[in-house]
Amino acid sequence: MALAVTTSMTTVTSVGLSPPMNVNSLLPVVNNDSSANSQIITLMFRPLLWIGTNLKINWQQSIAKSITVSPNGRRYIIHLKPWRWSDGRPVTAQDTLACLRMIQEYGSRYPNAGMGGMPGLIKKAIVMDPQTLKVTLKRAVNPIWFELNGLSQLFPVPFWRWKHYSMNELYKLQDNPGLVSVVDGPYKLEHFTQGRGISFVRNSSYSGKPAALKYLHFKMYTSDASAFWALKTGVLQAGMIPHYLFDARWMVKGLQTCISNGGYGFNYVTLNFTNPKVAFFREVKVREALALAVNQRQIIQTAFHGLGVPSFNPVPTTPDTYLSPEMKQLVADPALAYNPSAAKKLLDDAGWKPGPEGIRIHGRQRLQFTMMVPDTSQTLIAVAELLKADWQTIGVDMRLRVLPFNLELAKLHPHGKWEASMIVWSYNPDFYPSGDGLFNTDGGANYGQYSSSKMDTLIRESTQNKGIKYLYEYEDYAYEQQPVIFLPYPEYIVKYAQDITHAQLMEGVYSVDCKPNPLH
């Protein structure tokens, strides 16, 4: 007998992507760009371009119907579909332009400033007619890069309702439900209590395919352990199994299973090139040695319980849409990138000789540093412990400092006293992984101030020139240089109730692919 399909689902934010987080914003542009806030906002407001989990534009889910690009890659004419706000008004090009004006006015406070050239790359943007917007850039660029990283940041907004507020006022009112009473996405806000929960109801006026759920509710748990127990007791109908509770997964019985790819990102250890105490990070041989000593297979098997993929550069492994042939070869055979003996030789050649207790020294300096680890996940702490052991085998003394995630971020400023830190990076909205903002000299997320004129050139070429070969050259050079130490990337077990369809589940998750897998 077939099981009746439900019309409602209760879950938490960031399922299949990261530990759950609180929602503290309902508005585009002025939010802090956390995965939780981004997830909630895209339920109510549809982006101009919806980037699918295959890292290509999903035109069916996008408000844009098509984009006409000039041969030199400087002019973009954006054609909108017929679309309506929940109050019946048409969604117009003026609404999209209003979002760009918000980004421009918000300036350096905008968390994605600089990504995809936004907004400084734009020379002029004008409304040609109610359904057409023309954007002209200051210089020619790679159209795929600008569409995936720049235009993907734009949301049509109800400017006729928000135009009476300054950006400072919108920032202060970003958690006010009154500002999102009119939306153009598949769901409308029903109730929001900060720190408790947020509820949505299907938008009956939605111009796209009707939402698969009538009601969607998110509880505001802030630890993956709390969410696990809520899933076990049936409070949640969908959630994920943290890696450190892998052996307890059988306690969550009678549910369907899929395996999430963990989103499109990479994990790494960022190094502080400006701190004189760890000036050895500026030596490429030291960085290469640290990378060669990382046993990625062991991390995947031990910390991730087999749920993960090797990763050796800043372009993510899954999906491998933009992975170079050289990197695909390493992913297929990770042993090629694991060689402690070669790591020791590199350190010998760089003048670091074994000293007391097996820790290498150069003159009077020990090869020693402290790495910050965010306390948001026991899995990250387990990975850090494995790294400590790997690096000790080649004569490197790494100390751990576990601290709250917000405190870690606060310390990651240029010329700070920190030495190294574990980072989880998600490509959103910079879906084309060109490295701008990450490893170029003036990149906003170049926490350690790595600087290389060749890297700057390769990143610039990947954003300006058509053709994937420029991206391949950048990622292969990043593996060679190790501006940070690249780590394997986790996958996650996601569980959901028997009466929930896979399509319904996918409306309650964000930025991940999740393939059914009954074996877990």
Side-chain angles (χ1 to χ4, degrees), residues 47-51 57 59 62-64 67 147-148 151-152 154:
L48 180 70
L49 298 177
W50 184 273
I51 311 302
I57 298 170
W59 292 106
S62 300
I63 286 184
I67 300 177
E147 290 172 355
L148 295 189
L151 293 179
S152 65
L154 297 180

Side-chain angles (χ1 to χ4, degrees), residues 258-276:
C258 64
I259 304 298
S260 161
N261 69 341
Y264 190 58
F266 68 106
N267 288 359
Y268 64 97
V269 177
T270 187
L271 313 169
N272 192 347
F273 290 82
T274 67
N275 187 338

Side-chain angles (χ1 to χ4, degrees), residues 93-107:
Q94 184 64 51
D95 300 332
T96 307
L97 180 60
C99 180
L100 174 59
R101 297 293 182 241
M102 287 174 64
I103 292 172
Q104 290 171 328
E105 190 176 339
Y106 208 43

Side-chain angles (χ1 to χ4, degrees), residues 43-334:
L43 291 172
M44 298 182 288
F45 298 99
R46 247 359 186 199
L48 180 70
L49 298 177
W50 184 273
I51 311 302
T53 54
N54 63 350
L55 307 178
K56 297 181 179 179
I57 298 170
N58 182 330
W59 292 106
Q60 185 178 357
Q61 297 269 24
S62 300
I63 286 184
K65 178 173 61 177
S66 63
I67 300 177
T68 304
V69 184
S70 64
N72 65 1
R74 283 191 61 194
R75 189 178 67 248
Y76 297 74
I77 299 177
I78 303 156
H79 308 277
L80 303 186
K81 297 174 184 173
W83 208 267
R84 293 200 172 270
W85 293 102
S86 54
D87 67 353
R89 289 174 182 255
V91 173
T92 68
Q94 184 64 51
D95 300 332
T96 307
L97 180 60
C99 180
L100 174 59
R101 297 293 182 241
M102 287 174 64
I103 292 172
Q104 290 171 328
E105 190 176 339
Y106 208 43
S108 61
R109 292 178 293 172
Y110 178 55
N112 295 315
M115 289 184 182
M118 295 288 281
L121 180 61
I122 294 177
K123 179 181 180 180
K124 183 168 61 174
I126 60 171
V127 172
M128 299 180 70
D129 61 52
Q131 299 300 113
T132 311
L133 178 69
K134 181 167 75 172
V135 175
T136 304
L137 307 184
K138 294 176 181 176
R139 56 180 171 82
V141 298
N142 177 353
I144 296 175
W145 169 78
F146 182 62
E147 290 172 355
L148 295 189
N149 292 12
L151 293 179
S152 65
Q153 298 179 40
L154 297 180
F155 289 73
V157 298
F159 86 100
W160 71 94
R161 294 175 62 88
W162 295 358
K163 66 181 179 180
H164 306 293
Y165 300 97
S166 69
M167 291 306 295
N168 285 337
E169 288 171 328
L170 286 174
Y171 173 81
K172 293 174 182 176
L173 294 170
Q174 63 181 295
D175 59 353
N176 187 331
L179 287 177
V180 295
S181 58
V182 176
V183 298
D184 64 355
Y187 289 93
K188 294 183 67 175
L189 180 66
E190 185 178 52
H191 183 74
F192 177 40
T193 303
Q194 274 217 53
R196 298 286 298 278
I198 186 167
S199 300
F200 296 91
V201 63
R202 180 189 291 153
N203 177 7
S204 59
S205 303
Y206 181 52
S207 299
K209 182 180 178 182
L213 291 160
K214 188 173 182 181
Y215 301 102
L216 178 56
H217 179 70
F218 296 86
K219 287 191 171 290
M220 295 293 110
Y221 296 117
T222 54
S223 78
D224 44 18
S226 298
F228 172 83
W229 292 110
L231 184 66
K232 177 185 178 297
T233 56
V235 173
L236 301 182
Q237 282 82 58
M240 70 183 190
I241 311 296
H243 294 113
Y244 65 91
L245 290 173
F246 180 84
D247 292 335
R249 67 195 184 283
W250 307 115
M251 298 172 69
V252 183
K253 298 178 180 178
L255 302 182
Q256 301 182 76
T257 305
C258 64
I259 304 298
S260 161
N261 69 341
Y264 190 58
F266 68 106
N267 288 359
Y268 64 97
V269 177
T270 187
L271 313 169
N272 192 347
F273 290 82
T274 67
N275 187 338
K277 282 186 64 179
V278 287
F280 49 77
F281 285 147
R282 301 170 198 164
E283 301 176 49
V284 68
K285 286 184 178 179
V286 171
R287 302 196 303 271
E288 288 176 336
L290 291 172
L292 283 170
V294 175
N295 189 340
Q296 293 211 16
R297 274 181 170 164
Q298 184 184 55
I299 290 174
I300 292 169
Q301 291 303 318
T302 305
F304 300 161
H305 294 274
L307 293 165
V309 291
S311 178
F312 300 102
N313 81 103
V315 175
T317 300
T318 307
D320 63 1
T321 310
Y322 300 116
L323 206 60
S324 74
E326 181 180 338
M327 293 302 105
K328 285 180 180 178
Q329 185 179 5
L330 289 181
V331 168
D333 188 4

